[in-house]
Amino acid sequence: MSEARESNRRMLGKLLVMAVVMFGFGYALIPVYRHICEVLGINVLTQKDGTVAPPVNTQVDLSRSITVELDSNVQGSLRFRPTERSVTVHPGEMKTVVYEVVNAQARPVTAQAIPSYAPQSATPHFKKVECFCFQQQTLQANEAKQMPVMFYLDPALPKEVKTITLSYTFIEIAGLDKTAAAAAPKAVQ
């Protein structure tokens, strides 16, 4: 019996050594792989050459500056406003602005933002990449949200346009109770 016990102990020792070696190999695999790739010049994620200049967006028209005025309106019980009143942007330049909405009610509210632009000739040239207006927003009771709008102005924007007003109307579409819904003005068809 002691021979079997001794044999089992040696086997357990070998298994523990193998487990530690496998763990060490797995732990060291990532840095070793990165080093091998760097030495061979394959799968290099970053360049070490500090003289390489970052790419320049050649679509930005630095000769023109457009003021984008930010406006907000609300229909319903929400508070809604831009965090800044205006921004200056060059055509082709990516810009992000933030609007803030607050639901001070003790109930959830679902609303949709509808954008409008002035002058109307700027509308086809105002390109939104990300906007809270793309989908309905649900705010829980007493919730506040910061909502970004990422946009750029098409360089084909008419030269006479110097100022664009971006206005959002935030309309409550769900969450009204029956008495508030009955008191709300009816939409004209």
Side-chain angles (χ1 to χ4, degrees), residues 30-150:
I30 293 172
V32 169
Y33 174 77
R34 284 186 183 148
H35 183 69
I36 290 171
C37 288
E38 189 174 308
V39 168
L40 296 176
I42 57 174
N43 199 20
V44 178
L45 300 177
T46 59
Q47 292 183 340
K48 300 270 185 203
D49 187 4
T51 62
V52 176
V56 177
N57 184 350
T58 58
Q59 300 300 313
V60 177
D61 182 358
L62 296 174
S63 67
R64 298 172 58 197
S65 292
I66 310 296
T67 300
V68 178
E69 296 175 342
L70 306 171
D71 183 41
S72 63
N73 303 294
V74 69
Q75 289 183 352
S77 58
L78 300 172
R79 288 193 318 247
F80 177 61
R81 67 175 185 83
T83 58
E84 52 191 327
R85 286 287 166 207
S86 67
V87 293
T88 301
V89 63
H90 300 289
E93 174 186 18
M94 192 69 69
K95 194 70 165 179
T96 301
V97 296
V98 177
Y99 279 77
E100 180 179 67
V101 64
V102 177
N103 177 15
Q105 302 296 312
R107 61 180 169 77
V109 173
T110 300
Q112 177 77 47
I114 309 296
S116 62
Y117 311 91
Q120 195 165 6
S121 63
T123 301
H125 303 285
F126 201 100
K127 308 292 185 182
K128 289 183 290 218
V129 177
E130 177 185 333
C131 182
F132 58 91
C133 65
F134 293 158
Q135 57 194 2
Q136 295 177 357
Q137 302 294 322
T138 300
L139 286 96
Q140 298 305 317
N142 301 308
E143 181 182 11
K145 278 187 183 180
Q146 299 263 322
M147 301 180 300
V149 178
M150 185 182 294

Side-chain angles (χ1 to χ4, degrees), residues 4-14:
R5 204 174 241 156
E6 187 62 32
S7 176
N8 286 343
R9 225 178 256 152
R10 276 184 274 152
M11 180 60 75
L12 178 63
K14 290 178 184 178

